[in-house]
Amino acid sequence: MISMHTSPLDQPGTGDAGGMNVYVVELAKRLAAAGTDVEVFTRATSSQLPDTVDLAPGVLVRHIAAGPYEGLTKSELPAQMCEFTRGVLRTEARQRPGWYDVVHSHYWLSGHVGALAADRWGIPLVHSMHTMAKVKNASLAVGDAPEPRTRVIGEQQVVDVANRLIANTDDEAAQLAGLYDADPSRLDVVNPGVDLGLFSPGDQAAARFALGLPQDAAVVLFAGRIQPLKSPDVLLRAASRLLQARPELRRRLVLAVVGGPSGSGLEHPEALADLADSLGLADVVRFAPPVSQSNLVTWYRAASLVAVPSRNESFGLVAVEAQACGTPVLAARVGGLRTAVADGASGMLLDSYDPAEWASAIESLVDDPLMVSALGRGARLHARRFGWDATAERTLDSYADARAVLAHDERALLSQAL
């Protein structure tokens, strides 16, 4: 696997670490458990990092030096792809011939590295986009910067050369085919998973006690990177509107924001806190830094509902994790969230980012504990569809198909040459 711009060892929820990091870690672990050794190449971001780290049995993380260790933004990484690729190729050169069977790249930067490595080693390239520039640019939040043309071109090049493309949902597969002219015969839809052993229902009262939350609170949780794409500001504006109409709710409404600034949000890391102050919500909003997966479970269990107002999500792991804990989800009807959330059964999907509509939806749930309880039961059932073991099994099938097609194409070329 190649994950150039973000390490599977990084804490999700800040910087460039998010759902993709969880995806790489969990998929690699399940592939290894199924008998496939995995090596993950990522860029070293500190001189103190060891060359290799054993992430789990059968999963090795390799740190490749490419450019300054610290201070590089994701937009500056294309200039380091050549150096990073050289490090990847040198690592393989020290192994016996045929050491790797498949390259699985994550995000477009890694796709370019993976394409060169796959060509050099004579093995197939399987690629997961995770996010796409054309999709993001079609639904920009106010104040967010569009993805540059260089990324659009780079993504198209990866789509054109990959032997297999793995899409998280049918929606993403349609975007790859419609926006990037991907060959449908090379597209596999593989839903990401959730650790159903870790993310599970628990005692809400105990979770709230552990986090210092009032037992009678109406807790709306946002978990993830703080950036315009994720639209946490919509929740703050919705809370402001709700309290204007229902001032008596101020006594028990808690809007919890768990995560750190990322992407264009790094330009104004205090912007969300400043917005909370300007809206008079300092006593309502509780900010918490990114937390480990085990601590995130506690937040999910403590919440009355989890809100995901993203402008786009290739899948929406937060939504599925919350539902696995029995917490209903209020989300935007975009991208993979249409798969991750069963509208009306495990949560609610909204068609706009109008704070008034989000305030109304939050109010309807706050006022109806029976509905919240019913959606919570539906959330648990819906989340059972998504397990990492099934994701790993379908991914292995995609690898096998990629290897078979590549072998067939090579035989065809050889036949033509003879």
Side-chain angles (χ1 to χ4, degrees), residues 194-347:
V194 62
D195 186 341
L196 296 173
L198 175 62
F199 294 97
S200 61
D203 187 335
Q204 185 180 80
R208 290 186 173 187
F209 179 80
L211 296 170
L213 295 170
Q215 291 296 327
D216 65 342
V219 182
V220 180
L221 171 64
F222 171 91
R225 290 173 290 168
I226 298 174
Q227 58 178 213
L229 177 68
K230 303 292 185 180
S231 298
D233 62 292
V234 171
L235 297 180
L236 269 64
R237 299 182 194 282
S240 176
R241 284 177 175 264
L242 179 57
L243 293 177
Q244 288 174 18
R246 299 277 303 278
E248 74 277 8
L249 288 177
R250 182 177 289 273
R251 182 187 65 81
R252 63 190 189 96
L253 181 65
V254 176
L255 178 54
V257 178
V258 180
S262 172
S264 54
L266 290 169
E267 297 175 9
H268 306 286
E270 302 300 324
L272 200 63
D274 292 343
L275 177 62
D277 288 340
S278 69
L279 293 172
L281 297 175
D283 59 326
V284 173
V285 182
R286 174 170 169 177
F287 290 98
V291 297
S292 66
Q293 294 265 286
S294 58
N295 288 330
L296 192 55
V297 171
T298 304
W299 278 103
Y300 288 145
R301 290 173 177 172
S304 306
L305 63 97
V306 170
V308 188
S310 300
R311 298 284 167 169
N312 185 65
E313 290 283 352
S314 62
F315 183 59
L317 282 176
V318 163
V320 182
E321 290 170 352
Q323 291 171 107
C325 293
T327 305
V329 172
L330 181 63
R333 194 190 303 272
V334 295
L337 290 170
R338 287 178 283 209
T339 298
V341 179
D343 189 21
S346 70

